Structure formats: structure tokens, C-alpha cells
Amino acid sequence: MISTKATVVSNAHLSCGIYKLVLSIPDMPEISCGQFAMVSCGNADGILLKRPISIHDFDNKTVTLLYEAAGKGTKALSQMQESVDLDIILPLGQGFEIKNYKRIALVGGGLGVFPLFSVIRQHADVEYSAYLGARDSSHLVCADSFIGRCARVRLATDDGSAGEKTYVTSLFKEDLARYGFDAIFACGPKPMLKALKAITKDTDIPVFVSMEERMGCGFGACLTCTCKTSSGNKRVCADGPVFDINEVIL
Amino acid sequence: MSALFTEFNGVAFKNPVICASGTFNFGEEFKRFFPLSRLGGISLKGLTLEKREGNDSPRIAEVYGGIINSVGLQNPGLEGFLKDYLPSLAQEDTVLIANIAGNTVEEYCEMAQRLSQTDISIIELNISCPNVKKGGLAFGVEPKGIESIVFAVKKHCKKPLMVKLTPNVAAISDNALAAEAGGADSISLINTIRAMAIDAKTRRPVLACITGGLSGRAVKPIALRMVYECYKAVKIPIIGLGGIFNAEDAVEFMLAGATAVQIGTANMINPMAAVEVIDGLERFCYDNNIKNIKEIVGGLII
């Protein structure tokens, strides 16, 4: 983990307020899939805190972050032009562990689709089945990049404008018995994670979920981003964001 | 001798910069960014006698120039601290300050007594946390209450006792005087200012606890005024905090009368903040031909 300056290579609007930020980092640390970065949004408009953003993709010189310009901080971030320097801390948190899994199901909803891409980029030798969902086709901004890298990609939207008009967890449920997954990695809104927990409760397949909470420091010191677990409160930023689904209380 | 060396309550500090309780945990997370020996001291995460899980999330809201937190003293409890954290902390070449909060006067006394037998150098009496139902603020608002709890704890405390004051009061100087009368060796101020944030879109409070404590740049002018008022009122050393982000902020607090400063919210935004304040103070002394930083304490020109 390092606290450093990153230079904006590009910061492009993809669709529906979702941006793709590519940062070049001179002294790139080792990253593993499912980790995140704390990114400064400048100090305009009284902003103090860095924003936690999941790592979508990375190589030995750059990291790519997809984020939605939703609040004051991320809107300010969306205005950052090429070659601007941003303070950043990365990589943070406990990501997804591949262990010796051969067949992994990826279940993502909304913005939760973004970090799942880092899994397939880092470990290409695994057979992936991706179940990706969003409100509509224009919110499914990076689904295309999963196609060709996964054995199967199934899409769900609320309005049927892309893939099937259903919940992503329903698509996953159809395939669960069929493909013999070794593990399930998921990220998305709490109702999706709850549905996933209900669907998988009678199997012994390990399920790992990436959690989200309002954060302060991002590196474990301030104890503001806690989530409830079977063994008491844990820090989403440092003990997570990835937890065993049986450990977190959703 | 270093221009930043300072001493108060019989304790030597290599510099007057202390990391503030609740923003630095027990220091472990910062070791990846700098050696803890750079710091004058650390005011450790607030301790209670029994382990506490703290409040529900969300526990933090960002507001203009500040943050509001409602962590609620999540901590491993005194036993857990002594067993799991203090042994390795005691190896660090920096002053350790234990911040204690009790549900009752007896709990405060018990913690002070037990911590007096450890490597802790100073005990900071937290009678100013706005995020717990019992204890905390309940003892720290009225001057009479402050004097009596300080007096009671002092009898069980073999280490210097620093009393952390809340700004949520009628007259801060009366409370500082009460702490001094009770036997406090020093005072630290300010703790957070009670505050709330509302999300206009959802019409709901941002924090699960509805209200919390405001800190960060936004509170600095209030904190400066309070340090100034206390400096005029009491003889004991004052440790100033509230929105210190850089060396210039620290100098302002020292001019207002602070012997030392604490860095809080800035640690959460920039893990190197305290070290940058220390480096900046060193430059400030050099540039202004100041032999020792103590020269500027209370040096406000009116």
C-alpha cells in the first residue's frame, strides 16, 4: 500500500454519468483483484475526504477505475483533465482470492460489475461464468469486456433493453446446478447479495461478496466503515471489502 | 537540541505534534507510511473498561470543510488493549497517551489506576465524546461535574492527567478552570462539535445515529477561539486541536496559547499529515530564527 501521486491519463464519460478514469502511477505497487483505491477529488467545494473506488483493471503502469459521478466528490473528480496529478492511496483492502478454483461464477449488479472485471484480468486460466445486471443497457457499460474472456456471459436488465428482463440472481439460479462452480464472487446492492445468499444457502460452494460502506480514511484507522459480521463489527476497508457471505450480516 | 523539543507535565516530547484520539487507532495502520518515532506522541483510540462495538453504520458524513462522525468509541476494551496492543506500542519511541472513557466515575478511576501501572506516559480523560449514551459528554458539560470527576480520577492516577474538553458548553474557560481546580495537569481541546447532516434527496439523516461530532477544517476558527480563551484563564498547559492540517495551522494554535497540538481529521485524509506538520514546523523555526518552538506559545500580538 502506498500514498502517492497519480497522473490522469484519461477520464472519459462512458454513459449515464459513469466515467472511466485511467491513472498512471510511477511506483506501481502489487495489486490483487477486488482491491480498491482512495482517490482525491481535489478540494473544491469544501471536499476533504478521498473517495473509495474499486479497481476495475490494472497493469504495471496504470490502474483503471470506473465510477459514477453521483455526489459532490465524484462530480469534481469527473472534471479532472488529462495530466492532472491526484493524491491516491492503493491498493487497499482484502480482495478476491482465487485459491485453486477452476470454475468461478461472477455475479455483479450495477456499479458492482466494475471490480469483477479485475478478477478475470488477473487470472485468465480460470473458467468464468459472468452474470451481470443493471437498470438498462446504457448502465451496463463494461459488459462487453467480459464477453470473449468468460465461458458464458448472461445479462439482465430491469427493462429488458439488454439481455433478459429479469434479476441477475434469477439467471444465476438457473445455471447454479448446471455448471458446478467451485466459488462465487459477487458485488452489488444489498438486495442482490441477500438474494444470492438465499439461493446458495443449501450448497457448500464458497461465496465471497464485496461490501460497500461510507468510508473515512480507507486504510483501517478511523473505524467509520464498519459492517456487522458473525464475529462483531469489521472494517469494510481493511478487513474487507471482500467477505465470506456467511460471515457478513446483510 | 532540536528546535521542536518540548516538555510538559514532566514528559519530554521530541516535537509538539501528537496524533489525536479516534483518528489514529493504535497507530498500527500508519506504520506503512512512516515510523511512529517521528511523532511527538500518540493519543490512542478511546478506551472503555469493557469492549465496545460502537454505533451502526453509516458512521461518517462529509460536510463543507469537515466530517461528522458517530463511531461511538468502538474499542477492544482495557484488557484487550493491554494484552494485544500495548506490548508492541511500548517499543515505539514516542509518547503514549491513553484516552479513557467510562460509563461511571468508578470506571474512569479503575482505568486510570490500571493504566498508571503501564508504559503509558499520560492519561487523557475523555469527558467529551458526543457519540455515547452514558459517560462521555455527561461528565464534561457543567464545570461542577468536571471538577468532581477530575478530582476523583486524580486520586487513582499516578500519571499526568490531561482532560479533554468538549466545545458544546456555555463558557469553555469556566470548564478549563474547573479541570484545573480538580487537579488536571493539562487540558486538550476541542473534541468534536455536535452536528448533523441530512440528505435532501432521500429526506433522511446521513448518519445512522442521526447526529454526530463535527471535525476538520470547518471547526478551526472555533477551536482557536476556545484555546485562546482557556489560555487566558488557566496556568496548566493546553494542547490544541481542531482542524489542524498543516504547520501554519499548528503555529496559529500555539500563538493562541497551545503548548502542543493534536492532529485528528487530517490523518484520515492524508496519512502523512502529522509528519508534514512536523517538517513544516521545523522549517518555520529555521526560517524565523526561532531557537525553540516554545518561544511562540501564547505569543499572539494583540
Side-chain angles (χ1 to χ4, degrees):
Chain A
M1 177 202 312
I2 56 165
S3 172
T4 189
K5 286 214 185 291
T7 309
V8 176
V9 176
S10 61
N11 190 14
H13 183 233
L14 298 179
S15 170
C16 303
I18 298 164
Y19 287 75
K20 180 178 184 173
L21 174 65
V22 181
L23 294 168
S24 109
I25 295 172
D27 40 358
M28 181 70 99
E30 197 175 320
I31 294 175
S32 43
C33 56
Q35 291 188 294
F36 69 99
M38 292 296 289
V39 185
S40 166
C41 302
N43 51 14
D45 208 13
I47 299 166
L48 288 181
L49 297 170
K50 293 187 172 76
R51 297 299 191 263
I53 305 177
S54 64
I55 294 171
H56 173 70
D57 197 4
F58 58 95
D59 57 31
N60 53 13
K61 288 195 185 76
T62 64
V63 287
T64 302
L65 312 173
L66 296 193
Y67 65 95
E68 184 180 20
K72 211 163 63 167
T74 42
K75 278 179 184 155
L77 186 62
S78 73
Q79 300 306 306
M80 298 294 175
Q81 303 289 319
E82 199 183 306
S83 79
V84 166
D85 281 348
L86 297 175
D87 289 327
I88 185 170
I89 306 175
L90 84 167
L92 292 158
Q94 313 300 321
F96 292 106
E97 276 187 68
I98 300 290
K99 296 181 181 167
N100 54 355
Y101 304 137
K102 296 280 177 282
R103 274 179 285 190
I104 296 176
L106 304 171
V107 183
L111 307 181
V113 171
F114 307 160
L116 295 178
F117 185 67
S118 67
V119 179
I120 57 176
R121 285 290 274 173
Q122 190 174 22
H123 301 274
D125 50 340
V126 175
E127 182 191 297
Y128 295 104
S129 304
Y131 304 87
L132 312 175
R135 250 176 287 174
D136 52 42
S137 62
S138 47
H139 282 86
L140 262 178
V141 293
C142 66
D144 285 352
S145 46
F146 287 78
I147 296 165
R149 293 188 170 95
C150 298
R152 58 197 63 81
V153 177
R154 297 189 66 184
L155 307 178
T157 48
D158 295 349
D159 64 355
S161 56
E164 293 164 62
K165 186 179 174 177
T166 181
Y167 289 124
V168 68
T169 42
S170 307
L171 298 181
F172 167 74
K173 193 178 177 183
E174 290 172 11
D175 285 3
L176 175 61
R178 206 176 297 166
Y179 297 115
F181 303 124
D182 300 322
I184 298 152
F185 294 173
C187 185
K190 269 200 185 147
M192 184 198 97
L193 300 180
K194 277 185 186 167
L196 186 64
K197 188 167 186 169
I199 292 164
T200 55
K201 76 175 185 332
D202 295 327
T203 74
D204 52 8
I205 307 170
V207 184
F208 298 96
V209 295
S210 183
M211 301 291 288
E212 196 176 36
E213 191 48 73
R214 278 180 184 269
M215 282 184 191
C217 66
F219 52 88
C222 74
L223 312 186
T224 54
C225 64
T226 49
C227 66
K228 290 198 166 93
T229 76
S230 52
S231 50
N233 281 337
K234 291 216 169 161
R235 301 165 298 181
V236 171
C237 70
D239 302 316
V242 174
F243 293 94
D244 188 310
I245 203 166
N246 293 316
E247 188 189 2
V248 284
I249 296 160
L250 294 169
Chain B
M1 182 162 290
S2 157
L4 297 188
F5 177 84
T6 196
E7 191 178 356
F8 63 86
N9 295 164
V11 179
F13 291 77
K14 61 184 77 164
N15 60 63
V17 179
I18 299 162
C19 286
S21 185
T23 60
F24 207 74
N25 209 7
F26 297 111
E28 189 61 36
E29 292 78 11
F30 289 83
K31 284 188 191 172
R32 286 164 294 199
F33 301 109
F34 62 87
L36 299 182
S37 60
R38 289 291 321 271
L39 300 171
I42 305 171
S43 175
L44 301 163
K45 175 71 191 167
L47 295 170
T48 50
L49 195 55
E50 306 296 334
K51 179 180 165 82
R52 275 182 69 96
E53 288 290 341
N55 295 323
D56 283 349
S57 291
R59 295 173 167 188
I60 186 166
E62 190 182 49
V63 295
Y64 200 101
I67 60 164
I68 306 174
N69 90 80
S70 59
V71 171
L73 288 176
Q74 179 179 335
N75 79 93
L78 183 62
E79 278 309 320
F81 167 71
L82 294 176
K83 186 167 135 291
D84 300 330
Y85 296 92
L86 187 58
S88 69
L89 268 171
Q91 307 300 312
E92 301 288 345
D93 178 21
T94 188
V95 174
L96 300 178
I97 302 173
N99 178 292
I100 60 168
N103 290 318
T104 62
V105 175
E106 291 70 29
E107 283 189 9
Y108 277 102
C109 292
E110 185 181 344
M111 282 192 281
Q113 186 159 32
R114 299 207 21 219
L115 285 160
S116 290
Q117 295 150 22
T118 68
D119 289 317
I120 292 293
S121 292
I122 296 178
I123 292 172
E124 185 174 47
L125 195 67
N126 182 352
I127 48 171
S128 45
C129 178
N131 293 322
V132 290
K133 286 198 182 74
K134 283 191 279 183
L137 255 182
F139 296 106
V141 176
E142 299 296 333
K144 270 192 184 144
I146 294 172
E147 184 174 342
S148 68
I149 192 169
V150 173
F151 186 76
V153 174
K154 187 68 187 165
K155 278 192 282 189
H156 297 85
C157 186
K158 304 296 169 234
K159 303 277 182 174
L161 186 63
M162 180 187 290
V163 177
K164 189 165 183 179
L165 299 179
T166 172
N168 305 296
V169 297
I172 192 75
S173 53
D174 289 350
N175 291 16
L177 281 165
E180 189 175 46
D185 296 291
S186 51
I187 50 173
S188 52
L189 67 148
I190 59 174
N191 205 320
T192 56
I193 301 173
R194 295 192 67 213
M196 73 186 287
I198 295 173
D199 184 330
K201 272 185 226 134
T202 62
R203 302 187 181 193
R204 292 174 188 278
V206 178
L207 298 173
C209 290
I210 303 176
T211 64
L214 176 68
S215 63
R217 287 186 190 278
V219 311
K220 196 185 87 174
I222 298 171
L224 271 177
R225 186 265 297 175
M226 290 191 163
V227 167
Y228 170 69
E229 288 182 352
C230 290
Y231 184 68
K232 288 195 296 181
V234 299
K235 302 271 187 299
I236 53 177
I238 297 166
I239 291 74
L241 70 150
I244 299 178
F245 275 61
N246 53 48
E248 195 175 345
D249 293 333
V251 167
E252 292 169 19
F253 272 83
M254 296 182 89
L255 289 171
T259 295
V261 295
Q262 292 188 2
I263 312 295
T265 306
N267 295 319
M268 296 165 56
I269 292 149
N270 169 14
M272 293 296 290
V275 170
E276 287 171 13
V277 171
I278 294 164
D279 292 343
L281 284 177
E282 244 161 36
R283 259 195 317 277
F284 170 82
C285 288
Y286 180 80
D287 291 347
N288 293 279
N289 204 19
I290 292 167
K291 284 205 184 62
N292 187 281
I293 193 77
K294 274 184 274 191
E295 291 170 31
I296 70 163
V297 174
L300 184 70
I301 300 166
I302 306 274

